[in-house]
Amino acid sequence: MSTNVAAKLPKDFIWGFATASFQIEGSTNVDGRGKSIWDDFSKQPGKTMDGRDGDVATDSYRLWKEDIALLSQYGVKSYRFSISWSRIIPLGGRNDPVNPKGIEFYSKLIDALLENGIIPFVTLYHWDLPQALDERYGGWLNKDEIVKDYVRYAKVCFESFGDRVKHWLTMNEPWCISILGYGRGVFAPGRSSDRERSPEGDSSTEPWIVGHSVILSHAYAVKLYREEFKAAQGGEIGITLNGDWAMPYDDSPQNVEAAQHALDVAIGWFADPIYLGHYPEYMKQMLRARLPEFTPEELAVVKGSSDFYGMNTYTTNLCRAGGDDEFQGFVEYTFIRPDGTQLGTQAHCAWLQDYPQGFRDLLNYLWKRYKLPIYVTENGFAVKDENMKPIEEALQDHDRVNYFRGTTSALQAAVNEDGVDVRAYFPWSFVDNFEWADGYITRFGVTYVDYETQKRYPKESAKFLVKWFKENIESDEKTHFQSSPAPALPQKIIDYPASLSGGARIVQGLKA
């Protein structure tokens, strides 16, 4: 009995579900919101897999009360969401007016979460740069301007919400901002050297410039928070980085080295300056003069500029030396082992297979290398062809359940057996949503969304996670509460009436 209790996660462990503003809110031209770089980009032919955009998404700008009611029924401790910069400052800049309607929306959302006993875990930037800043001076390509504008935006948020928000993330996945937006050109603003994809951009230089600007914007926002807000507000602030575990294809020295190179470019590019105070040596060798340098003054602000390690991770890659992709550190990724078997269950996305041991290995790597508490801010699985299945079948998302069964077990082992300090876990995502370049074809939600009616249906994965966290976190309550069964979740939790759902607008408003 005592062993079982000891194996539980500590009672202050935070768990909940995650989303991002552009992926769920819709209402893109409502209440004074300005355009983000994703608004027009997602409407360009060929930029999303199904030709659809984010104008409605899951209509959560209008349905936020119902979404919070659902989160409350799930019994989450926390909800990770992002703020839309262009709702707060429609034109984005430090001298541009603040939109009171934007402040009001997020303020009400935060209040309602707290009233339901749900901790708001807030991301300031999840890829939706105000379009006006991209047009005005090139957005993230212009370090001197963007750092000042981002810090001012952050300040408005700290002033407006910091009395109630105690967990801040400055940036979501700088690698994606840099590589996918300015290297591969598959995410907004879509810049790339590939002229069939973009009329402008330089993939050999721009991603590294953008990454540098993102690091500095993050660091100076953290400096501001610590100097002007932390003492009074008592919160914590950090950054969340994406990066999957890199496993050598075999034990040959060149492939062991390749796996480390993959980690250096996927994770170390951002984590090493922020936590260790320098870019990885391999990045310096690889890029030479193309890798921007920090001034001593900048480096003093960058180093130590995160109170924790925010970790977004989904899969494990087997790594072989000799790849031709600079964005992967010239490392070849594969899921096929030397014996020809697959690493794990294939997701809908080509880049994702299920391999829970890799999740545990990555937790250990980050803990040993950076020595700070880890918040797992995204982790999830897209079931193959889920979008083509009838709702009843899609709700039986066994591959996703198996994925979460593996990662929760690996998480528990990392904490209790390996001694890794993991303090939070946010599966991605709370609801199916606009999945960027994939449009609405790829579904990561633990809650199914019928995009024609906006009805939400809990999948088996939601029920699994609700039950797992109820049973595996120590409770403040009496023993009889600990052993009580998890609440039964109805098959359909929120039945939005047609007048509320905007379903007709979705059908009419989406691009063919």
Side-chain angles (χ1 to χ4, degrees):
M1 181 69 179
S2 59
T3 310
N4 186 41
V5 172
K8 291 188 176 186
L9 299 169
K11 61 178 179 290
D12 59 353
F13 188 89
I14 296 170
W15 81 278
F17 298 122
T19 61
S21 51
F22 192 78
Q23 294 182 265
I24 67 166
E25 285 180 359
S27 297
T28 49
N29 60 353
V30 169
D31 291 340
R33 177 190 178 276
K35 279 186 180 181
S36 83
I37 52 174
W38 272 93
D39 285 60
D40 290 346
F41 179 81
S42 62
K43 291 180 172 65
Q44 292 176 32
K47 298 303 185 188
T48 63
M49 209 177 283
D50 54 4
R52 297 160 79 180
D53 56 48
D55 283 359
V56 178
T58 66
D59 211 11
S60 293
Y61 185 79
R62 297 196 309 120
L63 302 180
W64 63 271
K65 289 179 183 176
E66 289 85 347
D67 282 347
I68 291 177
L70 179 48
L71 287 164
S72 181
Q73 274 185 281
Y74 281 165
V76 300
K77 280 196 178 184
S78 184
Y79 177 45
R80 180 189 168 214
F81 64 95
S82 78
I83 292 174
S84 163
W85 185 345
S86 56
R87 277 201 202 281
I88 301 297
I89 307 170
L91 296 176
R94 55 196 178 276
N95 298 313
D96 294 321
V98 174
N99 175 27
K101 287 282 191 185
I103 301 287
E104 180 187 5
F105 170 71
Y106 293 109
S107 196
K108 285 181 177 177
L109 178 71
I110 289 162
D111 285 345
L113 287 168
L114 292 169
E115 285 163 12
N116 282 272
I118 299 169
I119 299 165
F121 212 104
V122 178
T123 309
L124 288 169
Y125 185 78
H126 200 124
W127 307 350
D128 47 355
L129 183 75
Q131 178 70 28
L133 300 187
D134 188 62
E135 293 172 358
R136 194 177 292 172
Y137 54 70
W140 295 111
L141 290 166
N142 190 323
K143 179 188 82 171
D144 295 334
E145 294 293 334
I146 194 72
V147 172
K148 292 172 186 171
D149 284 346
Y150 176 80
V151 171
R152 191 270 183 137
Y153 159 61
K155 184 176 186 179
V156 170
C157 292
F158 300 150
E159 288 172 341
S160 303
F161 315 122
D163 57 331
R164 291 154 291 161
V165 173
K166 306 304 173 190
H167 303 275
W168 293 102
L169 295 167
T170 53
M171 302 282 179
N172 182 78
E173 302 188 344
W175 188 95
C176 294
I177 297 168
S178 310
I179 298 298
L180 303 183
Y182 296 81
R184 302 203 197 285
V186 293
F187 280 9
R191 295 176 65 89
S192 170
S193 292
D194 180 353
R195 288 293 163 261
E196 291 184 8
R197 184 173 292 284
S198 172
E200 53 191 6
D202 183 347
S203 302
S204 70
T205 58
E206 290 187 2
W208 321 113
I209 293 167
V210 167
H212 200 70
S213 297
V214 169
I215 291 171
L216 288 166
S217 298
H218 147 79
Y220 278 93
V222 170
K223 181 175 187 286
L224 172 78
Y225 182 78
R226 288 173 174 171
E227 290 176 355
E228 297 187 22
F229 296 95
K230 187 177 175 68
Q233 296 180 354
E236 60 179 355
I237 188 165
I239 192 167
T240 197
L241 308 177
N242 60 297
D244 296 320
W245 181 236
M247 193 162 71
Y249 180 72
D250 55 30
D251 58 7
S252 67
Q254 62 266 35
N255 289 336
V256 171
E257 185 180 54
Q260 184 58 53
H261 290 167
L263 291 168
D264 288 343
V265 177
I267 293 173
W269 174 12
F270 299 98
D272 281 15
I274 289 167
Y275 300 108
L276 306 179
H278 54 76
Y279 279 123
E281 283 304 314
Y282 180 67
M283 297 265 312
K284 295 177 187 175
Q285 295 167 17
M286 186 176 87
L287 297 172
R288 302 187 184 277
R290 288 182 292 143
L291 184 65
E293 293 184 7
F294 297 107
T295 66
E297 178 195 63
E298 289 171 341
L299 197 56
V301 177
V302 168
K303 186 180 181 182
S305 60
S306 190
D307 295 335
F308 49 82
Y309 189 99
M311 168 180 161
N312 286 6
T313 191
Y314 288 83
T315 194
T316 293
N317 293 296
L318 290 164
C319 296
R320 278 194 295 228
D324 59 2
D325 188 343
E326 186 172 68
F327 302 146
Q328 292 176 188
F330 296 110
V331 176
E332 182 187 345
Y333 289 176
T334 183
F335 289 134
I336 304 172
R337 295 186 181 93
D339 67 4
T341 59
Q342 296 285 315
L343 192 65
T345 302
Q346 180 62 47
H348 189 75
C349 324
W351 53 268
L352 174 52
Q353 284 194 2
D354 185 359
Y355 186 70
Q357 180 60 41
F359 181 71
R360 182 176 179 178
D361 291 342
L362 182 59
L363 285 169
N364 275 274
Y365 172 84
L366 296 172
W367 172 240
K368 288 169 185 166
R369 186 174 179 91
Y370 302 117
K371 301 178 174 62
L372 279 178
I374 297 170
Y375 292 82
V376 182
T377 41
E378 282 184 34
N379 179 240
F381 191 84
V383 174
K384 195 165 180 56
D385 297 327
E386 188 173 87
N387 193 55
M388 298 167 65
K389 298 176 179 178
I391 292 177
E392 294 74 17
E393 189 181 337
L395 298 181
Q396 307 300 313
D397 57 338
H398 301 303
D399 285 352
R400 187 177 289 109
V401 171
N402 288 335
Y403 179 92
F404 285 127
R405 184 177 286 115
T407 49
T408 50
S409 176
L411 168 70
Q412 203 167 22
V415 172
N416 292 318
E417 296 173 32
D418 307 335
V420 181
D421 186 359
V422 187
R423 299 190 183 177
Y425 182 72
F426 290 91
W428 182 271
S429 173
F430 168 45
V431 286
D432 292 331
N433 53 52
F434 175 77
E435 196 50 50
W436 307 110
D438 285 16
Y440 297 89
I441 287 173
T442 300
R443 292 175 177 264
F444 271 94
V446 300
T447 309
Y448 185 93
V449 176
D450 179 340
Y451 293 117
E452 292 191 10
T453 65
Q454 292 295 353
K455 289 178 184 176
R456 275 74 157 152
Y457 302 81
K459 301 177 189 176
E460 287 302 310
S461 55
K463 298 174 187 179
F464 168 81
L465 287 161
V466 167
K467 184 172 187 288
W468 192 91
F469 279 102
K470 183 173 178 60
E471 293 175 351
N472 288 281
I473 296 180
E474 291 176 1
S475 174
D476 282 325
E477 306 291 336
K478 304 274 193 252
T479 310
H480 73 269
F481 178 80
Q482 285 186 32
S483 59
S484 63
L489 295 170
Q491 191 72 350
K492 180 173 71 183
I493 292 212
I494 304 291
D495 187 351
Y496 299 151
S499 60
L500 188 64
S501 72
R505 284 196 305 112
I506 292 176
V507 175
Q508 293 164 8
L510 295 171
K511 304 297 178 191

